[in-house]
């Protein structure tokens, strides 16, 4: 497996919609809502502008995404880290996190939120990536954990 990353352009919006819809379909079914699922082309184009994104490529096939934005000096919020279901569990998400840490060289802290009841996400971020749970809150009707990774 050869994993590469390519910075997104707004012209990639349709590809990102396909990735997000594939990766977040189960969340949409489970929670009845998911802010990453069902976006329009215009919404995704704006998301690419607001949250710089990278396509995750396996042998030139788009299999996922990582997006981050700098909130303040050295503090980056991960807006999305997703891999389409048939490529999950193969180390791609871990490689994406390592990519982000090397790309954003001046990082001091990464933050993100994920549903509290998604044990596979909690395990991934804490055990594979070294994040700590900093607290919890609500996103719509879904309880989420707030994660932080500090140098």
């Amino acid at each position: 497996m050869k994993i590469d990353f390519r910075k997104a352009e707004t012209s990639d919006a349709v590809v990102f919609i396909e990735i997000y819809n594939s990766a977040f379909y189960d969340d949409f079914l489970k929670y009845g809502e998911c802010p990453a699922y069902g976006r329009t082309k215009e919404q995704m184009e704006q998301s690419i502008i607001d949250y710089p994104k990278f396509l995750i490529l396996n042998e030139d096939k788009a299999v996922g995404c990582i997006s981050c934005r700098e909130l303040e000096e050295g503090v980056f919020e991960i807006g999305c880290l997703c891999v389409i279901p048939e490529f999950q569990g193969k180390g791609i998400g871990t490689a994406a996190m390592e990519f982000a840490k090397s790309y954003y060289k001046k990082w001091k802290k990464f933050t993100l939120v994920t549903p509290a009841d998604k044990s596979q996400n909690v395990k991934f971020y804490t055990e594979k990536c070294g994040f700590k749970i900093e607290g919890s809150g609500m996103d719509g009707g879904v309880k989420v954990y707030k994660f932080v990774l500090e140098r």
Side-chain angles (χ1 to χ4, degrees), residues 104-138:
Y104 299 103
K105 295 180 184 345
K106 63 180 181 173
W107 77 273
K108 297 174 192 164
K109 182 190 295 189
F110 281 101
T111 66
L112 65 91
V113 298
T114 197
D117 66 349
K118 292 210 57 174
S119 58
Q120 74 274 23
N121 286 12
V122 173
K123 183 176 180 177
F124 168 74
Y125 287 116
T126 57
E127 294 180 17
K128 301 279 185 184
C129 299
F131 281 80
K132 302 222 179 312
I133 298 172
E134 188 174 67
S136 62
M138 295 298 290

Side-chain angles (χ1 to χ4, degrees), residues 31-90:
Y31 303 114
E33 62 181 305
C34 178
Y37 181 82
R39 292 185 178 182
T40 66
K41 183 174 182 257
E42 293 76 21
Q43 288 171 322
M44 188 59 77
E45 288 169 345
Q46 190 60 52
S47 181
I48 290 168
I49 293 166
D50 295 341
Y51 275 90
K53 299 180 188 325
F54 289 86
L55 274 172
I56 303 171
L57 304 164
N58 175 49
E59 306 292 335
D60 294 325
K61 175 184 171 35
V63 299
C65 163
I66 185 163
S67 66
C68 301
R69 72 174 172 176
E70 191 168 21
L71 299 175
E72 60 187 70
E73 183 73 28
V75 178
F76 293 87
E77 178 181 48
I78 298 173
C80 184
L81 170 53
C82 67
V83 176
I84 60 176
E86 58 266 34
F87 283 89
Q88 292 175 2
K90 300 178 185 299

Side-chain angles (χ1 to χ4, degrees), residues 4-56:
D4 291 305
F5 300 87
R6 179 176 65 74
K7 190 157 178 50
E9 300 173 2
T10 54
S11 61
D12 294 315
V14 172
V15 174
F16 279 100
I17 290 168
E18 292 169 0
I19 291 169
Y20 277 44
N21 284 351
S22 177
F24 293 109
Y25 180 67
D26 288 345
D27 287 356
F28 177 73
L29 291 179
K30 180 176 185 175
Y31 303 114
E33 62 181 305
C34 178
Y37 181 82
R39 292 185 178 182
T40 66
K41 183 174 182 257
E42 293 76 21
Q43 288 171 322
M44 188 59 77
E45 288 169 345
Q46 190 60 52
S47 181
I48 290 168
I49 293 166
D50 295 341
Y51 275 90
K53 299 180 188 325
F54 289 86
L55 274 172
I56 303 171

